[in-house]
């Protein structure tokens, strides 16, 4: 019994490393060794256009990524059950607030929670996270269309609506690595 408790604690602690597997209907996910190895910058999708699938904006209306074409946009896919996602949301908020002032980069975060939008909004309100993160894709159409298996995943789209890179796993979006990557926004 003690061994089971130790394993459960170790498994819970490992959820703070790397990223989380995509959520299945009834099974919360824990990261595997493959997940940890697959984190970082991925340029294999460079040049692919943003998908046209619709999701909900913070007011509950339908929207797609085409709405953001014309300027570079950083799109973060996250979920409330994903510890690395929750860890990075405050740094994304700081980035989003700084970009609002200079207007060079749009920043949105799209919840992949299957729960109703109201529960996502309540989750964000508890953590004092802004509306930039209240976009919602309860059917996880974006993760499917983009082939995303690990959350968080953050994608930089250029002003032409085409992918520049994606970052798999969590990142401090106020740090040096993020600044270097974001310098590629055009």
């Amino acid at each position: 019994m003690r061994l089971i408790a130790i394993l459960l604690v170790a498994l819970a602690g490992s959820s703070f490393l790397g990223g989380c597997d995509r959520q299945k209907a009834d099974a919360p996910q824990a990261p595997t060794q493959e997940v940890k190895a697959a984190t970082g910058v991925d340029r294999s999708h460079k040049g692919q256009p943003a998908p046209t699938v619709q999701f909900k904006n913070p007011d509950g209306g339908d929207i797609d990524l085409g709405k953001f074409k014309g300027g570079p946009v950083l799109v973060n896919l996250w979920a409330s059950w994903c510890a690395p996602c929750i860890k990075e949301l405050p740094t994304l908020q700081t980035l989003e607030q700084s970009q609002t002032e200079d207007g060079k980069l749009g920043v949105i975060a799209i919840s992949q929670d299957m729960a109703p939008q109201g529960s996502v909004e309540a989750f964000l309100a508890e953590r004092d996270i802004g509306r930039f993160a209240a976009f919602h894709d309860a059917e996880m159409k974006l993760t499917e269309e983009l082939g995303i298996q690990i959350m968080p995943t953050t994608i930089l789209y250029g002003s032409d609506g085409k992918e520049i890179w994606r970052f798999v796993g969590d990142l401090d979006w106020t740090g040096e690595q993020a600044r270097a990557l974001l310098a590629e926004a055009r």
Side-chain angles (χ1 to χ4, degrees):
M1 192 60 134
R2 185 169 186 201
L3 178 60
I4 292 172
I6 291 170
L7 288 173
L8 288 174
V9 169
L11 181 61
S14 71
S15 68
F16 289 101
L17 302 173
C20 299
D21 287 352
R22 190 172 136 183
Q23 185 181 25
K24 308 280 189 295
D26 293 313
Q29 300 294 302
T32 62
Q33 289 296 355
E34 295 83 25
V35 169
K36 292 176 195 170
T39 59
V41 179
D42 176 0
R43 297 180 188 274
S44 66
H45 305 276
K46 184 176 182 170
Q48 292 183 357
T52 59
V53 298
Q54 292 194 330
F55 51 94
K56 299 295 182 190
N57 69 28
D59 296 324
D62 290 333
I63 192 169
D64 66 53
L65 293 175
K67 166 78 169 125
F68 302 96
K69 193 173 178 180
V73 64
L74 189 69
V75 177
N76 174 268
L77 300 173
W78 69 280
S80 64
W81 46 263
C82 171
C85 299
I86 297 165
K87 175 184 161 195
E88 88 172 345
L89 275 174
T91 69
L92 274 168
Q93 178 165 307
T94 300
L95 175 64
E96 187 269 340
Q97 290 169 342
S98 72
Q99 294 303 313
T100 299
E101 294 169 8
D102 71 22
K104 293 182 181 174
L105 176 70
V107 179
I108 65 168
I110 307 168
S111 166
Q112 300 299 289
D113 285 278
M114 291 186 255
Q117 189 163 2
S119 65
V120 171
E121 291 169 357
F123 177 86
L124 294 170
E126 286 175 12
R127 288 155 182 80
D128 197 25
I129 301 292
R131 287 176 54 87
F132 84 96
F135 292 85
H136 188 214
D137 180 16
E139 297 173 22
M140 298 186 347
K141 293 177 187 176
L142 284 170
T143 56
E144 184 176 323
E145 186 75 20
L146 292 164
I148 292 173
Q149 296 297 315
I150 300 170
M151 284 192 232
T153 292
T154 306
I155 303 172
L156 178 63
Y157 289 101
S159 55
D160 61 358
K162 294 184 179 174
E163 185 170 329
I164 297 172
W165 49 255
R166 58 181 67 183
F167 192 91
V168 180
D170 66 303
L171 181 66
D172 175 355
W173 292 99
T174 62
E176 288 300 316
Q177 183 179 8
R179 274 192 278 289
L181 287 168
L182 294 171
E184 298 178 43
R186 50 179 157 61

